[in-house]
Amino acid sequence: MTKTLRVWITGASSGIGRAVALEMAKRNYQLVISGRNQVNLQELATLTQAEIVPFDVTDKSANLAAAAKIKEMLGGIDIVFLNAGNCEYIDIKQFDSDIIERMIKTNFLSMAYGVEAALPLLRNSSAPHLVAMSSSVAYFGLPRAEGYGASKAAIRSFFQSLRIDLMPEKIPVSIVLPGFIKTPLTDKNDFPMPQRISAENAAKKIVDGIEAKKQEIITPYFFPLFLRILGCLPSRLASFLVHKMTSTK
């Protein structure tokens, strides 16, 4: 009989995290969902039969406390999906380094805190798997994304290194690198979003990728591929092409 895997998802109160929780519930995973919006978490828990552990991912001690609570509740965890994050864009005419600081802390440092909290649980699992949410913008820096893009590129590099260091312990590491997904975050965007897909469709691809233990999970396919190709071009040419495509003049 196949063991029911225990999954911890951060940033589950909305967007991709919520959609992944719903998709995993359909596939009979045992879920622990985290986020800051307790009302949304409670609503999701009624749909997924998940346990709720609300906390702020930017608080290191709160990450450690959440992991301790999960160990007490379930005895451990098998899959950790560090998904929580936010997006803010830079206005280059009124450059504000506070945005950079918030993006690094919310998107990147929170991941480091999450890894510190989760690794002891994963080390005690017979089927461990560490999964992190990055973005296809990690492949190439886009306009106004100085803070967001830098944080997502840091996530990709960080988990690539972790993947190598955790190989002797047989803990696989997957990085999710989505393009434009319809979520409350992208609903705020004021620019064209090519190939944007629903969170539900993205969740199916992400869970399929987790189950296949893919090292990089990309959805939808073509826009992230375009950014990856840009990253391989000579920098002068790539920067020129992006400027021409995104210029409003």
Side-chain angles (χ1 to χ4, degrees):
M1 183 175 179
T2 304
K3 174 188 173 184
T4 299
L5 295 178
R6 302 159 296 179
V7 184
W8 180 16
I9 304 173
T10 67
S13 57
S14 67
I16 295 175
R18 182 181 189 279
V20 167
L22 289 168
E23 181 63 26
M24 284 189 153
K26 292 178 185 176
R27 305 189 194 194
N28 298 315
Y29 289 89
Q30 186 176 7
L31 299 177
V32 179
I33 53 175
S34 294
R36 290 185 296 178
N37 189 319
Q38 294 192 45
V39 173
N40 285 1
L41 288 177
Q42 187 61 58
E43 183 269 337
L44 180 60
T46 62
L47 299 174
T48 61
Q49 306 303 309
E51 301 285 353
I52 299 174
V53 180
F55 73 101
D56 181 355
V57 295
T58 65
D59 182 334
K60 178 178 176 178
S61 62
N63 279 268
L64 297 171
K69 185 173 183 179
I70 290 169
K71 184 178 180 181
E72 182 181 329
M73 292 164 57
L74 301 182
I77 210 76
D78 302 301
I79 301 171
V80 176
F81 181 22
L82 300 175
N83 164 76
N86 199 1
C87 180
E88 292 185 68
Y89 294 113
I90 291 286
D91 180 352
I92 199 63
K93 294 182 178 178
Q94 296 179 326
F95 189 90
D96 182 359
S97 63
D98 287 346
I99 293 175
I100 308 292
E101 184 175 353
R102 286 195 295 270
M103 289 294 90
I104 293 298
K105 187 169 181 64
T106 301
N107 294 345
F108 175 59
L109 287 179
S110 68
M111 295 276 180
Y113 302 153
V115 168
E116 182 176 352
L119 271 182
L121 300 181
L122 292 174
R123 286 185 169 120
N124 286 324
S125 168
S126 61
H129 191 181
L130 179 59
V131 185
M133 175 61 72
S134 179
S135 167
S136 57
V137 76
Y139 291 129
F140 191 85
L142 294 179
R144 299 168 58 194
E146 289 85 351
Y148 177 75
S151 69
K152 293 299 186 177
I155 290 168
R156 181 171 181 244
S157 178
F158 175 69
F159 283 92
Q160 284 175 322
S161 295
L162 275 176
R163 180 184 295 134
I164 298 167
D165 283 334
L166 291 173
M167 279 182 178
E169 300 183 61
K170 294 182 169 53
I171 300 178
V173 175
S174 297
I175 307 168
V176 183
L177 297 131
F180 291 113
I181 312 298
K182 182 170 174 51
T183 67
L185 274 182
T186 59
D187 285 344
K188 299 176 184 177
N189 289 347
D190 59 358
F191 52 83
M193 290 173 279
Q195 209 191 355
R196 185 163 73 146
I197 64 172
S198 71
E200 292 74 22
N201 284 340
K204 290 175 185 177
K205 295 291 186 181
I206 290 168
V207 178
D208 286 347
I210 291 172
E211 291 181 342
K213 290 185 169 58
K214 288 185 176 181
Q215 292 192 352
E216 292 198 340
I217 301 168
I218 300 170
T219 183
Y221 184 71
F222 289 105
F223 184 70
L225 176 63
F226 171 67
L227 293 182
R228 196 167 191 171
I229 291 171
L230 279 176
C232 297
L233 294 177
S235 59
R236 188 182 297 274
L237 174 60
S239 297
F240 173 78
L241 290 173
V242 173
H243 174 71
K244 292 295 287 184
M245 286 186 292
T246 58
S247 176
T248 57
K249 293 181 179 180

